[in-house]
């Protein structure tokens, strides 16, 4: 994976969609970097991290050529973690978003992980 010329060996490349982690309240923090992969011809996405239906982190619209964006999110007490890649209207084939060097630190046992990709994700801030 490559974001604005910087190569990363560890991460997840994702089209628009949703990745869900069942943390069971056992996590402390989630840290990493996000950005658009250099192989994308055009387009933009927004990265959103939610915990138990509460927005914990969101980026501005990210395009190819933008610098990677670091995040460091407090997960204390969070039962479900949602990683969302929101396409901003350029089509699913242009939404090649990278979550790189990301890791979760835990207080106790590691949770089970579930992953689903949605063909059309509509994200609305809760509240």
């Amino acid at each position: 994976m490559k974001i604005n010329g910087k190569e990363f060996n560890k991460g997840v490349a994702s089209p628009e969609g949703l990745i869900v982690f069942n943390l069971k309240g056992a996590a402390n923090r989630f840290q990493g970097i996000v950005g658009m992969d250099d192989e994308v011809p055009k387009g933009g996405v927004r990265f959103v991290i939610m915990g138990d239906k509460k927005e914990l982190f969101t980026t501005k619209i990210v395009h190819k050529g933008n610098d990677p964006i670091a995040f460091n999110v407090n997960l204390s007490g969070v039962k479900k973690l949602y990683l969302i890649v929101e396409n901003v209207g350029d089509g699913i084939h242009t939404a090649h978003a990278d979550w790189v060097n990301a890791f979760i630190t835990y207080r106790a046992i590691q949770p089970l992980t579930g992953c689903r990709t949605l063909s059309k994700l509509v994200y609305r801030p809760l509240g």
Side-chain angles (χ1 to χ4, degrees):
M1 288 175 274
K2 192 184 280 191
I3 302 171
N4 198 20
K6 297 176 182 115
E7 290 195 41
F8 298 91
N9 294 325
K10 296 181 180 180
V12 175
S14 170
E16 71 177 313
L18 174 68
I19 301 171
V20 179
F21 294 86
N22 184 3
L23 300 176
K24 299 181 180 180
N28 286 327
R29 300 206 73 73
F30 179 43
Q31 296 173 259
I33 300 168
V34 294
M36 283 289 270
D37 198 278
D38 284 355
E39 292 186 8
V40 176
K42 63 175 184 165
V45 298
R46 184 174 295 118
F47 293 85
V48 180
I49 300 172
M50 294 184 70
D52 296 333
K53 300 181 183 178
K54 178 182 170 191
E55 189 174 300
L56 304 175
F57 171 85
T58 188
T59 65
K60 61 183 177 18
I61 296 172
V62 178
H63 297 278
K64 175 182 177 177
N66 291 151
D67 285 331
I69 300 168
F71 61 88
N72 186 347
V73 177
N74 181 354
L75 297 178
S76 296
V78 172
K79 292 179 177 48
K80 291 231 176 165
L81 176 67
Y82 303 90
L83 308 183
I84 301 166
V85 174
E86 182 182 70
N87 186 305
V88 295
D90 299 308
I92 193 168
H93 300 293
T94 61
H96 294 258
D98 294 338
W99 300 85
V100 297
N101 294 348
F103 63 94
I104 298 171
T105 56
Y106 297 93
R107 288 189 313 277
I109 60 169
Q110 291 187 4
L112 298 175
T113 303
C115 179
R116 351 177 227 161
T117 301
L118 305 177
S119 61
K120 180 82 172 161
L121 176 66
V122 177
Y123 166 74
R124 292 185 182 94
L126 300 171

